[in-house]
Amino acid sequence: HTLTCYFVRHGERVDHIDDTWAQTADTPYDPPLTPHGHKQAEHTGALIHALEQQNEPTRASETEYLVLTSPFQRCAQTAAALVEGSRRKDTRGAPWSVAVEPGLSEVMSEGYFDEQVPDSIIDTCVERVRQEWSVAYDDEYAAAQLVLPRYPEDFQQMMARFVATLDCVASRQIGLRMSRRAAGLSDPRRVVVLVTHGAGIGSLLWATTLKPGSNNVDYCAVTRAEVRARRTSEPLATFGSSRIPAFAWTVGPYAYSGHTANL
């Protein structure tokens, strides 16, 4: 297989536990995780480590990981805790890097927001990751989308955005491996972890199965997907213009959350 991806919803968010949090928050549109959400994310990292050992026993030791996160705080915190959870189980010390991907942002719908969320949360997230994380930022990663989706965004537009984001990620990662091989460079196996929101997970499930996915999967639900083939030799569609994915995928496990059930 040419690329393995994981799709992870963020952990438990504070404003869904504390109804008063938003009343005094500086950025009420960008809630952080609860302590329980951090624990959920750590267990998710451990699960990803176990799944790679199970699915790729001969290549797990040469795997490097790239985690792509929505710029919203709850996703970035989930990504950070996920890396730590995996590292605790990994005696080899697999290399992890991270990048912020605005294409994975929350749906900018009127049901979720009263107005456009400022694009400044992207730079804020990038700086927080650089300064506070014990993981390298991937400066070579070229984001599929450079700004947040425009308000108001409907669910069909969001689905097309996520299909386009996943197509870009898969195409560029596969192209990077091909370029390495052509240049005679080392070609370590790379796993990409996409950390996003509930509605985004539903769209990624559509992009990889062509079946409607739930917009309300459990916190830190995990899906593993492997690229099987390119559907067409045509160039990728204009970003956000199509809900038909460019790649065919093999998916499983699907929106699994058993690892957090008894925390």
Side-chain angles (χ1 to χ4, degrees):
H1 294 96
T2 49
L3 183 67
T4 299
C5 290
Y6 285 89
F7 311 142
V8 178
R9 188 190 177 195
H10 60 77
E12 180 182 78
R13 49 190 283 182
V14 69
D15 58 332
H16 283 189
I17 300 301
D18 179 1
D19 292 339
T20 66
W21 176 84
Q23 297 172 12
T24 57
D26 292 334
T27 55
Y29 48 78
D30 192 18
L33 294 182
T34 65
H36 185 66
H38 282 277
K39 184 180 293 186
Q40 290 172 324
E42 289 175 358
H43 278 253
T44 301
L47 174 65
I48 289 173
H49 174 75
L51 287 171
E52 285 307 292
Q53 294 292 324
Q54 173 186 318
N55 285 280
E56 295 286 346
T58 62
R59 302 197 65 197
S61 63
E62 60 184 60
T63 298
E64 60 182 34
Y65 294 85
L66 169 64
V67 57
L68 303 177
T69 178
S70 158
F72 284 81
Q73 188 175 188
R74 57 191 178 274
C75 290
Q77 290 178 339
T78 297
L82 181 155
V83 173
E84 291 306 311
S86 176
R87 282 176 168 170
R88 288 175 188 169
K89 295 292 184 180
D90 180 14
T91 56
R92 181 183 66 89
W96 283 80
S97 60
V98 62
V100 174
E101 174 51 77
L104 298 174
S105 296
E106 178 68 281
V107 57
M108 201 65 62
S109 74
E110 293 173 306
Y112 287 23
F113 300 103
D114 295 326
E115 59 185 351
Q116 176 73 46
V117 174
D119 289 324
S120 60
I121 74 164
I122 299 171
D123 288 341
T124 299
C125 183
V126 170
E127 286 307 306
R128 185 177 290 136
V129 168
R130 289 185 186 278
Q131 294 174 12
E132 300 177 11
W133 285 28
S134 58
V135 62
Y137 196 90
D138 188 343
D139 289 305
E140 295 183 359
Y141 177 77
Q145 191 169 28
L146 298 177
V147 296
L148 297 181
R150 297 300 91 183
Y151 180 87
E153 180 185 42
D154 64 35
F155 274 76
Q156 299 302 313
Q157 291 170 325
M158 176 206 64
M159 287 180 66
R161 168 166 61 88
F162 272 88
V163 167
T165 298
L166 184 60
D167 280 351
C168 284
V169 168
S171 180
R172 289 172 182 173
Q173 292 301 316
I174 292 169
L176 178 62
R177 292 194 66 186
M178 293 174 65
S179 297
R180 282 177 172 175
R181 290 176 182 173
L185 301 175
S186 63
D187 180 31
R189 178 172 173 269
R190 174 173 269 199
V191 169
V192 181
V193 182
L194 287 74
V195 182
T196 185
H197 307 263
I201 295 294
S203 296
L204 291 172
L205 293 175
W206 161 261
T208 49
T209 67
L210 292 180
K211 298 177 182 177
S214 169
N215 289 329
N216 194 31
V217 299
D218 291 336
Y219 287 131
C220 282
V222 173
T223 297
R224 187 177 191 271
E226 293 182 323
V227 169
R228 192 167 70 242
R230 182 76 188 264
R231 291 183 181 276
T232 171
S233 59
E234 295 294 317
L236 296 183
T238 301
F239 188 92
S241 65
S242 174
R243 296 194 302 276
I244 304 301
F247 294 88
W249 299 76
T250 300
V251 177
Y254 178 100
Y256 175 77
S257 59
H259 61 296
T260 61
N262 298 314
L263 294 182

